[in-house]
Amino acid sequence: MKIAILSCFYPYRGGIAQFNANLFEELGKTHDVRAFNFCRQYPDFLFPGKTQYVTPEDEAVPVEAEALLDTADPLSWSRTARAIREWSPDLLLMRYWMSWFAPSLGAVARRMAPGCKVIGILDNVIPHERHWFDAPLTRRFLRSLDGAVTLCDEVGRDLLELRADIPHTVLPHPIYTHFGKRLPREEAERRLGLTAGRRTLLFFGLIREYKGLDILLQAFDLLDGRYQLVIAGEPYGPFDKYQRLIDGGRAPQDVHVFPEYIRDARVKYFFSAADLTVLPYRSATQSGISSVSCHFDVPMVVTDVGGLRETVGQGGTGIVCEEGTPEGVAEAVRRYFDDPGLQARLREGMDAERKRLSWSRFAHDLTAFAESIR
């Protein structure tokens, strides 16, 4: 099968580009695959981080991709569609995670040849920070697709609210393996400057309001001196309110902050030093962080929102807080450390998930779904 993928690839950085690179590599083992990239993903004023691109210090693996699509330039939409049509793919895959992409991706999808199936891989149908225009833009984009893949049931339900008749399937997020192997804990602690022997909690990834870092900081204040907290990720917005919680908290010296984008080669240090990854989200679909945590054999504590219960609870890889409050998060953390049997069961669950959620299985099920659409 000839498969085109239109999304962000190197030199863009972040979880979606990493997912695309893994999928491109896996599909390429059995299919003829070509990557089509953005030449501009967002205008700078829409991007809250420091940079959208890999830096010289990053170790991201380049993917050969043709950079064509400028999401803010309609003239590029026609050029992109023409280039993809000229290659004559049997299948076009598009990643979709916010309504900004609806006009450009939809325009490309509607210009595909009749013999090319267009499938959207939907991280979100409605974004975490909602706007009035999200639903109408997304609904129009969905009408341009022949089928859709979601990474959890929660997004699948959102999908059917906007287009009930679309062929769709749920394929859980595969386990990331490109960050390397787990290191000896002592080495990871030394590299990060952490206190050895503490119960280490990890908050990892972009820091955004919906991810509930403030809930975790308040929960940390309810724990005793055996614990330390590591916060690793680039803030999307001011960090001031979190810093105030740290400075006014029980033990500021036990909160270690790395407020930056964590390049691929350093990810292993944070997870190798951690006992638990904590995802105290206020809203969620699926999370790529849970995939990374499972790869490094680190159990999770998550709040009961979106697809996190489905991802963690059903797979037996973590504890789901019934209440997304500081007290609920702190109680779940204590429960993990107080129950050696629970710790063993969660590690067994992660071992099973690593076998189930392979990239080869995802690629196989994705192409089988595409072939089933008539």
Side-chain angles (χ1 to χ4, degrees), residues 10-84:
Y10 182 94
Y12 293 101
R13 73 182 190 184
I16 290 179
Q18 292 165 350
F19 184 110
N20 292 337
N22 279 279
L23 181 59
F24 175 86
E25 179 183 8
E26 191 60 45
L27 288 172
K29 294 176 181 178
T30 51
H31 300 278
D32 186 5
V33 185
R34 182 172 291 186
F36 294 87
N37 203 354
F38 297 109
C39 59
R40 180 166 60 164
Q41 182 176 215
Y42 307 104
D44 288 341
F45 74 89
L46 285 179
F47 186 74
K50 294 179 180 179
T51 178
Q52 303 177 50
Y53 306 100
V54 298
T55 64
E57 295 77 26
D58 293 328
E59 295 79 14
V61 177
V63 172
E64 184 177 345
E66 193 171 357
L68 294 172
L69 186 65
D70 182 340
T71 57
D73 178 8
L75 294 178
S76 78
W77 307 351
S78 297
R79 289 195 298 269
T80 303
R82 184 165 57 252
I84 296 173

Side-chain angles (χ1 to χ4, degrees), residues 236-306:
Y236 270 21
F239 192 76
D240 300 4
K241 73 170 186 177
Y242 304 115
Q243 191 61 55
R244 286 194 293 271
L245 287 170
I246 294 169
D247 294 340
R250 174 186 60 78
Q253 72 280 1
D254 292 336
V255 181
H256 305 269
V257 182
F258 301 82
E260 64 214 21
Y261 178 82
I262 308 301
R263 63 184 190 270
D264 288 3
R266 297 190 69 219
V267 170
K268 59 180 175 286
Y269 301 131
F270 293 93
F271 286 90
S272 297
D275 293 292
L276 272 179
T277 304
V278 185
L279 287 72
Y281 293 4
R282 290 186 167 87
S283 67
T285 48
Q286 65 290 319
S287 171
I289 304 304
S290 66
S291 170
V292 182
S293 195
C294 190
H295 167 64
F296 285 107
D297 202 32
V298 182
M300 289 158 275
V301 166
V302 306
T303 44
D304 188 9
V305 294

Side-chain angles (χ1 to χ4, degrees), residues 12 29 67 77 110 112 118 145 184-185 329 359 374:
Y12 293 101
K29 294 176 181 178
W77 307 351
R110 286 186 290 274
M112 289 298 99
V118 182
L145 300 178
R185 181 176 181 130
V329 172
W359 285 98
R374 303 301 178 201

Side-chain angles (χ1 to χ4, degrees), residues 49-272:
K50 294 179 180 179
T51 178
Q52 303 177 50
Y53 306 100
V54 298
T55 64
E57 295 77 26
D58 293 328
E59 295 79 14
V61 177
V63 172
E64 184 177 345
E66 193 171 357
L68 294 172
L69 186 65
D70 182 340
T71 57
D73 178 8
L75 294 178
S76 78
W77 307 351
S78 297
R79 289 195 298 269
T80 303
R82 184 165 57 252
I84 296 173
R85 280 185 64 129
E86 288 175 353
W87 189 60
S88 299
D90 304 299
L91 173 64
L92 170 61
L93 301 174
M94 295 177 162
R95 293 293 298 282
Y96 185 84
W97 64 98
M98 62 183 295
S99 58
W100 169 259
F101 297 99
S104 58
L105 294 182
V108 173
R110 286 186 290 274
R111 288 173 169 85
M112 289 298 99
C116 177
K117 297 174 185 176
V118 182
I119 291 179
I121 301 177
L122 313 178
D123 296 81
N124 305 308
V125 170
I126 299 298
H128 302 290
E129 291 101 356
R130 300 188 176 204
H131 305 90
W132 65 267
F133 49 77
D134 291 325
L137 285 175
T138 300
R139 187 178 287 110
R140 177 166 170 74
F141 167 70
L142 294 174
R143 286 201 295 268
S144 71
L145 300 178
D146 297 303
V149 171
T150 65
L151 305 179
C152 68
D153 289 330
E154 179 79 9
V155 179
R157 287 188 285 271
D158 291 341
L159 167 67
L160 295 180
E161 287 185 7
L162 296 186
R163 186 182 163 188
D165 66 332
I166 190 170
H168 70 284
T169 190
V170 178
L171 301 179
H173 196 305
I175 300 296
Y176 283 129
T177 59
H178 64 282
F179 294 115
K181 296 181 179 179
R182 185 179 178 94
L183 299 171
R185 181 176 181 130
E186 297 77 13
E187 179 184 348
E189 290 172 334
R190 176 176 54 79
R191 284 184 175 267
L192 297 177
L194 304 180
T195 304
R198 292 285 186 88
R199 297 177 172 183
T200 302
L201 310 180
L202 174 63
F203 179 97
F204 190 89
L206 298 176
I207 299 170
R208 304 178 69 173
E209 174 66 24
Y210 77 86
K211 292 191 174 183
L213 176 56
D214 54 322
I215 296 172
L216 176 55
L217 288 168
Q218 294 171 69
F220 185 72
D221 285 343
L222 302 176
L223 301 172
D224 60 40
R226 292 174 292 177
Y227 295 85
Q228 63 184 341
L229 172 62
V230 176
I231 300 167
E234 181 179 0
Y236 270 21
F239 192 76
D240 300 4
K241 73 170 186 177
Y242 304 115
Q243 191 61 55
R244 286 194 293 271
L245 287 170
I246 294 169
D247 294 340
R250 174 186 60 78
Q253 72 280 1
D254 292 336
V255 181
H256 305 269
V257 182
F258 301 82
E260 64 214 21
Y261 178 82
I262 308 301
R263 63 184 190 270
D264 288 3
R266 297 190 69 219
V267 170
K268 59 180 175 286
Y269 301 131
F270 293 93
F271 286 90
S272 297

